[in-house]
Amino acid sequence: MVRRLAWQVGTVASVREETATARTLVLDVPDWPGHLAGQHLDVRLTAPDGYSTERSYSIASATAEGRVEITVQVVADGEVSPYLAQVLSVGDPLELRGPVGGYFVWRPADTQPVQLIAGGSGIVPLMAMARTRAQVGSSVPFRLLYSVRSPAEAIYADELAKLGLEVTYAYTRRTPPDWPTPAGRVNAALLADVTFPADATPRTYVCGPTPFVETVADLLVDAGYDPAAIRTERFGPTGG
Amino acid sequence: MSVISPGFTGRRRHDRDLPPGQYLTDGFPVLTYGPTPKVDLAEWNFGIVTETGATHGWGWEALQALPHETPHVDIHCVTKWSKLDTDWEGVSLDTLFENVETEAEYAKIYSYGGYTTNLPLEDLLDGKAWIAFGFDGEPLEAEHGGPARLLVPHLYFWKSAKWVRGIQLLTEDEPGFWEENGYHNYGDPWREQRYQGD
């Protein structure tokens, strides 16, 4: 008999402003069983008149019992993300259930090199993987290619620099001063320069907006990577 | 047992009932676990294999020669979005099953790229499912499952396998890709059957 994933009531323990438009919610969830890196949880919001809606959010934190973190990027005109990122406060309840998902995950027992490729807030589930690797002291080689519009929009930048993985940024609109290359989208040349080569048989996780993931996954397949070793998670064009 | 979310009002009210937990979108999100397969029409083939091993197959031209239907349906994704009044073009599974003799009760769907999903055969018949190759008056785009996908609008949309290439009929149920990865075996949006145990 399969146990139903029950709805639980978490409490906002603290919040961290990550960028001007993204915020991490640290949630105390007494019955949280822990999770795998890359899994998500569902959030349910209910208005005083009974109107209710649900969304899925990738889990950002490494596993821990009784506590879980999500990072919410505000979606312009969204219904749920502005509430989570701007209204919800420390001490407020939040209804959630999870963890969910058994495919877009990294397990510490996996030993092949890991290539992470994130677009924008697609970094969130990949951050859970990088944090998990650090948490367990794994020596599995990890590289991250992180595409953001500008340095100010890079989530977790300070922590990423300390996690012991190779990080390359690709800035699509504005670069830091003295950056060696002009702003631009991820392309075949950049992928060839900074990612594990196909013959290293990396497991690759790509997460970001749909056009980003489509482009990157197509480029990887064209470059000879095994499609079965490329795991993707797409989001947008709408959402909350 | 819902708790009230302090300060949450909700904005996207609508006239028509949606399945529980769903929200409306005007966009057409793409959710796929891997790269988008690119399927050449010259090599495209769709087959139905019965429990006795009998095979019925169609190439692209043979499929196009069958009567087309234009289902106008609402679709519901387990990731919470619903899209109303979508327009498709395709061939009814009833047409494809006209000469198929089977006692099987279950179907496992196979896709180019390796995806699978399962559902009871009765959920594919009696006007409930199509092999769709057109969306909104245009050929179905690859990222949405083109050249052809299954369309089973009364179940969560992961059952509407993209890049479909065949159906295996089975006397015993066999879980597919997401069904083995934590999602519900049947997936009725109106009963909110998202995950195993729901």
Side-chain angles (χ1 to χ4, degrees), chain A residues 156-172:
Chain A
Y156 315 128
D158 291 345
E159 187 183 345
L160 276 169
K162 300 171 192 157
L163 283 179
L165 70 163
E166 293 178 44
V167 181
T168 305
Y169 287 92
Y171 299 101
T172 60

Side-chain angles (χ1 to χ4, degrees), chain A residues 40 42 54 56, chain B residues 21-22 31 76-81 155-158 178 183-184 187 189 192-195 198:
Chain A
H40 67 267
D42 285 359
E54 300 176 17
S56 293
Chain B
Q22 297 293 109
L31 285 305
H76 310 289
C77 179
V78 71
T79 64
K80 320 285 170 4
W81 56 265
L155 298 177
Y156 280 127
F157 219 43
W158 90 80
W178 287 123
Y183 287 79
H184 197 273
E192 208 172 358
Q193 293 172 334
R194 298 183 191 278
Y195 309 125
D198 277 353

Side-chain angles (χ1 to χ4, degrees), chain A residues 4 40 42 45-49 51 54-56 77-79 83 95 97 100 102-103 214 218 232 234 236 238, chain B residues 1 5-6 8 10-13 21 23 25 29-34 36 38 80 177 181 183 192 195 197-198:
Chain A
R4 186 172 194 269
H40 67 267
D42 285 359
L45 299 183
T46 302
D49 66 357
Y51 171 78
E54 300 176 17
R55 295 293 187 280
S56 293
D77 195 36
E79 179 184 31
Y83 174 80
E95 214 176 0
R97 67 174 186 155
V100 184
Y103 185 71
E214 285 294 313
D218 286 351
T232 62
R234 299 159 169 85
T238 59
Chain B
M1 70 149 265
S5 307
F8 176 68
R11 289 197 280 113
R12 296 197 181 151
R13 308 304 170 105
Y23 68 91
T25 181
V30 176
L31 285 305
T32 305
Y33 68 80
T36 294
K38 304 294 190 288
K80 320 285 170 4
F177 179 83
N181 277 290
Y183 287 79
E192 208 172 358
Y195 309 125
D198 277 353

